[in-house]
Amino acid sequence: MATLGLSAAEREAVEAFRRDVVEPSMHKLVVLDFWAEWCGPCKALAPMLEKVTAEYADKGVLLYKVDVDKNQFLAGQFQVRTIPTVYAMFQGQLVADLTSARTEGQLRQMLDQMLKQLPVQGEEQSLAAEVEPLVEMAEQVLADGDAERAISIFDQIVEMAPEHAGALAGRIRALVAAGHTDEAEAAIAALPLELAKAPEVERAKSALALARDARPVDDLSRLAAHVAANPQDYDARLELAGGQLAAGDRDAAADTLLALIADDREWNDGAARKQLLKLFEVTGLEDPWVAAQRRRLSAILFG
């Protein structure tokens, strides 16, 4: 905003706006609330704006209130014709008109959408940038088979970011991999409802369910011989798949489950297919191994 020809009060208002709004907007999302003391709807809207923006402060959202009676020049610059008027500014530019958001849910939805699209830098984003490499390291340790060390790393990450779904879920999967299934189940039960529904946690739940089903078999070769001689013993075939999983042989388990699905996909309410899908989810749906097994499953189901 140019200050040439402005009164001292207007220049002061412009400088304050630059300092308190434009400069912070280089990294934060600033919500501008144009209001007036005499405006009833403004007063009704204010508590909601203050509550939601306070909740989003760690995400880099800042509320700035502009009294249009005291800052007529600013109101004119933004072409405010009616109040309340609520805008969002990022990097010195207006990026959204939030005036239509009259409920907490509506405002949260609009803020969430902008935060996904804009490189806003808040404490939460900074923490996420710090945490993600650590999560990747813990996941690699877990993939390498050192579940106990992975648990230790995930524990440290959770201390830093107690609500990080990926870290919480990774810790649960590490507990499962280390054989601490009861502790994993307790960890899932202790999660808040919104975190318990996260996709990462759903994968961890599948890992726990798979571990419950994958029970070690004392003599795996003997069970395999029994299954070969008695292919109609579907219970034994499912037990064999569980034993193969418990022994860490996912290829053999997948072969056993796929063969069972090919023979009778509906047996025991589709138990073999459900077991195989759990294995896919635990391994990771983007994993090349899963992609190959899914092609085999599709050939059976639709071939």
Side-chain angles (χ1 to χ4, degrees), residues 217 219-230 236 240 244 256:
V217 174
D219 192 338
L220 201 58
S221 59
R222 181 177 179 181
L223 179 59
H226 170 80
V227 166
N230 302 275
L240 175 62
Q244 290 165 332
T256 300

Side-chain angles (χ1 to χ4, degrees), residues 49-258:
L49 290 176
E50 292 166 2
K51 177 183 178 183
V52 175
T53 53
E55 291 174 359
Y56 278 68
D58 288 345
K59 298 181 179 182
V61 176
L62 173 68
L63 175 64
Y64 187 82
K65 301 176 71 67
V66 181
D67 185 332
V68 296
D69 287 339
K70 297 179 179 179
N71 297 277
Q72 294 182 15
F73 175 76
L74 288 177
Q77 289 292 303
F78 286 95
Q79 299 182 354
V80 174
R81 299 289 182 261
T82 61
I83 53 174
T85 291
V86 184
Y87 292 138
M89 176 179 282
F90 182 66
Q91 294 184 344
Q93 302 294 322
L94 295 184
V95 293
D97 185 343
L98 307 179
T99 307
S100 62
R102 296 304 175 96
T103 68
E104 293 181 18
Q106 290 171 342
L107 182 57
R108 290 192 185 98
Q109 183 178 9
M110 296 176 80
L111 290 175
D112 288 340
Q113 185 176 3
M114 286 186 289
L115 290 172
K116 288 179 181 179
Q117 298 173 343
L118 302 172
V120 177
Q121 297 177 19
E123 291 183 15
E124 185 173 307
Q125 291 90 336
S126 298
L127 180 60
E130 183 179 353
V131 164
E132 289 307 325
L134 299 177
V135 172
E136 291 180 10
M137 179 178 70
E139 289 286 2
Q140 186 60 54
V141 170
L142 179 58
D144 291 341
D146 194 343
E148 294 292 350
R149 181 169 173 242
I151 293 171
S152 177
I153 297 172
F154 278 122
D155 281 341
Q156 296 176 52
I157 299 171
V158 171
E159 285 186 13
M160 295 171 57
E163 296 185 355
H164 192 286
L168 291 166
R171 178 178 181 274
I172 293 167
R173 288 187 291 104
L175 287 169
V176 171
H180 308 315
T181 52
D182 290 340
E183 190 175 346
E185 190 166 359
I188 291 173
L191 291 174
L193 182 60
E194 61 275 11
L195 283 173
K197 294 180 179 180
E200 300 94 333
V201 175
E202 291 295 338
R203 180 185 175 193
K205 290 178 182 177
S206 293
L208 178 59
L210 196 65
R212 295 290 194 195
D213 294 337
R215 298 174 182 174
V217 174
D218 291 336
D219 192 338
L220 201 58
S221 59
R222 181 177 179 181
L223 179 59
H226 170 80
V227 166
N230 302 275
Q232 296 305 311
D233 189 348
Y234 290 169
D235 287 303
R237 292 171 71 176
L238 191 62
E239 181 185 358
L240 175 62
Q244 290 165 332
L245 282 173
D249 192 348
R250 69 178 183 182
D251 289 327
D255 289 343
T256 300
L257 292 170
L258 285 164

